[in-house]
Amino acid sequence: LENCLTADDFIQRRTWLIYEAPHRGAEVLDEVVRRMGDMLGWDDARREREATRYRYELGLLAGK
């Protein structure tokens, strides 16, 4: 994961999916959160925060 500590960091900065993928990485968000959570020992609350944070970023890009 290249020292990533958040799903947002991975999807936006390490893979650029937010800029290059058709759905800006939303299509892989659940899988990224699941895998990172498994590797980093996140509980369910942390996983939800990670997903919510990324969805918020997507909303900013959409002007919401």
Side-chain angles (χ1 to χ4, degrees):
L1 291 175
E2 300 179 0
N3 296 316
C4 293
L5 297 178
T6 67
D8 180 54
D9 181 27
F10 179 77
I11 295 172
Q12 286 193 59
R13 293 172 196 88
R14 310 305 172 128
T15 65
W16 284 60
L17 288 171
I18 196 167
Y19 306 110
E20 296 175 352
H23 299 285
R24 300 191 178 270
E27 65 276 16
V28 297
L29 177 60
D30 292 338
E31 184 67 15
V32 168
V33 168
R34 185 187 67 76
R35 288 183 184 210
M36 288 188 73
D38 290 350
M39 292 177 71
L40 298 172
W42 295 343
D43 61 13
D44 290 341
R46 172 68 187 267
R47 292 171 196 244
E48 184 58 35
R49 283 193 307 272
E50 292 294 324
T52 298
R53 181 184 347 202
Y54 190 71
R55 289 185 190 105
Y56 174 77
E57 293 291 328
L58 291 177
L60 291 177
L61 284 174
K64 295 179 182 179

